[in-house]
Amino acid sequence: NSIMSHVAEVAGVDLMELNEKVTWPLQKKYGSSYEALQLSLVDEAAVYGTVEDQAFFSDAVKKPLRDSVKRKLTPQPIKVRADIELTCFTYAGIEAVRHALVEGPKTRPDV
């Protein structure tokens, strides 16, 4: 896991010890360490509170882990664009399309 390798390097701890005391207990409880780390983005206290060896899991280890997880696992926004071709043969059709384009965003302001 590149996140844990980076954390071990930055925190100055042995990777195997980090895996034994943090990664594997999280994997055992949550089914996968990836799922646990993703959940830590939402509820850090609940996830990191399950680590038994809190003396080892000090801020020197927690901070680089938190930073790496935020950087690597936070979903990235994407832009979506579409081109539409439309042909109207009457003025009423043009007005209907205009009305739809104005009213459409009002139904889903979050989109």
Side-chain angles (χ1 to χ4, degrees):
N1 188 328
S2 66
I3 292 175
M4 291 309 195
S5 298
H6 177 73
V7 171
E9 183 180 320
V10 170
V13 296
D14 182 52
L15 178 60
M16 185 58 79
E17 185 178 17
L18 181 65
N19 284 333
E20 289 172 352
K21 294 185 177 182
V22 179
T23 309
W24 295 339
L26 291 176
Q27 187 172 357
K28 185 176 180 182
K29 178 167 183 173
Y30 292 98
S32 89
S33 57
Y34 181 80
E35 293 294 325
L37 294 175
Q38 276 194 315
L39 183 59
S40 74
L41 289 169
V42 178
D43 193 1
E44 184 178 302
V47 174
Y48 295 162
T50 62
V51 176
E52 293 176 10
D53 192 348
Q54 288 294 321
F56 174 80
F57 198 53
S58 65
D59 285 339
V61 174
K62 235 182 261 187
K63 184 175 180 344
L65 179 58
R66 185 182 307 122
D67 294 343
S68 291
V69 167
K70 282 182 182 177
R71 187 177 71 250
K72 292 189 177 190
L73 298 183
T74 300
Q76 300 297 316
I78 59 169
K79 281 187 175 183
V80 177
R81 180 176 174 226
D83 293 330
I84 300 172
E85 287 189 33
L86 185 63
T87 304
C88 294
F89 296 103
T90 65
Y91 187 75
I94 295 169
E95 287 301 315
V97 170
R98 182 177 292 142
H99 178 73
L101 291 172
V102 169
E103 294 298 318
K106 293 179 183 176
T107 62
R108 292 284 311 265
D110 60 321
V111 177

